[in-house]
Structure formats: C-alpha cells, structure tokens
C-alpha cells in the first residue's frame, strides 16, 4: 500500500490560491473549464514534484502516490511532463 501523503498549499499553483481562476454566474460552463484547468495545473505540479523527489523513478513514484505504474506513465504523457535533468 502507498504511504499516506499530505498535500500542502505549496502544491496549489499561485494563480489558484487566491481564487484567480474562479468565475461566477453564467451557465456553469465557465466553472467546468476552470475546474479542468485547475485540476490539470494541480496534477502537473503534484506529479512533477513527486517524480523529481524520486529521481524520475516511475515505479517508486507510482507506489508513493498509489497509482499503477502504467497509469502514471499515461498521466506523464497526458500532462506533457519531462525529466528536466535529462539532456533530451
């Protein structure tokens, strides 16, 4: 089983901490777009941090965050994450 992970405010992108992406009123579609954007920004920050902490060891990171390794690979590709330490 994965270890319990505590998430701090430091993982929330600054643009979202003060409600920067919040919109009110309308049909609700604006809120859906903002939710998706906020979720994607959070996931990008979260997985980037976790992968960096584990030296981009996907197996170790997947265990730490509680995802199957194949799902983490899919998420890395979906978010366009790259190991900045590699010269590629």
């Amino acid at each position: 089983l994965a270890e319990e992970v505590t998430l701090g405010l430091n993982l929330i992108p600054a643009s979202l901490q003060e409600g920067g992406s919040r919109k009110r009123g309308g049909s609700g579609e604006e809120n859906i777009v903002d939710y998706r954007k906020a979720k994607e920004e959070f996931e990008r920050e979260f997985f980037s941090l976790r992968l960096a902490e584990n030296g981009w060891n996907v197996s170790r990171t997947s265990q730490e965050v509680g995802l199957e390794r194949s799902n983490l690979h899919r998420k890395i590709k979906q978010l366009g994450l790259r190991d900045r330490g590699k010269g590629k």
Side-chain angles (χ1 to χ4, degrees), residues 2-60:
E3 282 183 36
E4 184 176 320
V5 177
T6 302
L7 303 177
L9 186 60
N10 62 325
L11 290 177
I12 310 260
S15 63
L16 302 177
Q17 287 183 18
E18 295 298 323
S21 293
R22 227 181 301 159
K23 292 182 183 175
R24 299 192 189 280
S27 66
E29 177 131 350
E30 301 91 3
N31 293 327
I32 292 171
V33 172
D34 289 344
Y35 167 76
R36 289 181 183 150
K37 180 182 174 187
K39 180 180 177 229
E40 184 176 311
E41 286 180 32
F42 171 80
E43 287 180 337
R44 187 172 286 113
E45 292 288 326
F46 176 78
F47 289 115
S48 292
L49 176 65
R50 293 292 176 213
L51 286 160
E53 287 174 348
N54 287 299
W56 274 79
N57 182 315
V58 175
S59 294
R60 190 174 12 184

